[in-house]
Amino acid sequence: GRMSRMTSRHGSPHRYRRRLALLLGAVALAVAPSRAVAQAAPQAAPANAGLWYEVTLGGAGSRLACSICSAHRDLGAVITGALGAYASPKLRVGLELSRWTYRDVGVREMTSGIGLVAHMKPSARSRLFLLGGAGWTSYRASDYTFGAPRASVGIGYDVPLAGAWVAGNVLTMDLAAFGKLRNESVTVVDNVGLSAIRMAVQLRRR
């Protein structure tokens, strides 16, 4: 019959079992080193996979820089939120939104920011990270407005909490330049800059 023809053509069932055992043994030997490497890898790597998001809350000193602007730095509350992904165990990137506010003699000052941000750690297990980013900052006080491109630099420190949650501190400097201060649609001053120093506590889900 068909079974006897297949057996006579390809060999006995014992030979098939022998070949199957050799094949399984080769697969086991090939998989064993990769499993050993995975077990030896840092345990922090799986936690760094996927998305991350954070909220920071603190204070910031902000001031406009122009020929008619005051050199005084106003201190107000600041809040930021960020959402991003891990490019590597040492680098996370994301989109950040920020809002700062201060009230002086009945006038409410506000700045809003949006931009890309990157956090780089010296090593995958380091709690210290450096911050850099680029985006846009807008300012409003009554009828006066300002907007300009912004660069950000900073440093932060993480303190692990339960599970995937991390707390810590972050110090950031924002520098915006080459903007115009306007009163409604009228340009009051050209080549206006804005600087802000933010110090905040953070809560992140990694």
Side-chain angles (χ1 to χ4, degrees):
R2 178 179 301 176
M3 183 62 68
S4 62
R5 288 197 299 271
M6 291 178 62
T7 303
S8 61
R9 181 180 301 175
H10 299 290
S12 66
H14 297 288
R15 184 177 298 177
Y16 282 115
R17 285 195 291 271
R18 219 168 25 244
R19 290 178 180 176
L20 181 59
L22 291 173
L23 180 60
L24 291 176
V27 171
L29 289 174
V31 171
S34 62
R35 293 182 62 183
V37 171
Q39 292 174 356
Q43 296 301 314
N48 287 339
L51 297 177
W52 62 272
Y53 52 90
E54 73 175 17
V55 175
T56 73
L57 181 64
S62 180
R63 80 176 187 91
L64 290 173
C66 68
S67 59
I68 63 172
C69 297
S70 170
H72 180 70
R73 191 175 293 275
D74 296 327
L75 299 177
V78 63
I79 185 172
T80 72
L83 171 67
Y86 283 88
S88 75
K90 297 191 296 183
L91 176 64
R92 56 180 174 263
V93 295
L95 178 67
E96 181 186 77
L97 302 175
S98 63
R99 174 63 68 92
W100 170 88
T101 184
Y102 171 80
R103 187 175 182 85
D104 182 25
V105 195
V107 177
R108 173 69 65 180
E109 297 180 68
M110 290 190 299
T111 63
S112 301
I114 182 171
L116 298 176
V117 66
H119 299 170
M120 169 67 80
K121 299 192 293 183
S123 66
R125 293 184 176 275
S126 175
R127 294 185 179 184
L128 185 72
F129 65 90
L130 301 177
L131 180 152
W136 184 267
T137 290
S138 60
Y139 166 89
R140 173 177 289 275
S142 186
D143 294 331
Y144 291 90
T145 59
F146 161 85
R150 180 193 74 188
S152 301
V153 294
I155 188 170
Y157 188 81
D158 291 336
V159 179
L161 300 178
W165 290 98
V166 175
N169 298 314
V170 60
L171 177 65
T172 309
M173 174 175 283
D174 301 319
L175 298 171
F178 310 113
K180 296 182 178 181
L181 184 64
R182 301 177 184 273
N183 185 347
E184 295 184 346
S185 60
V186 178
T187 299
V188 179
V189 185
D190 290 321
N191 297 322
V192 179
L194 185 145
S195 66
I197 301 175
R198 297 184 268 145
M199 187 168 185
V201 294
Q202 62 181 1
L203 180 64
R204 183 187 318 114
R205 177 67 161 78
R206 58 182 176 179

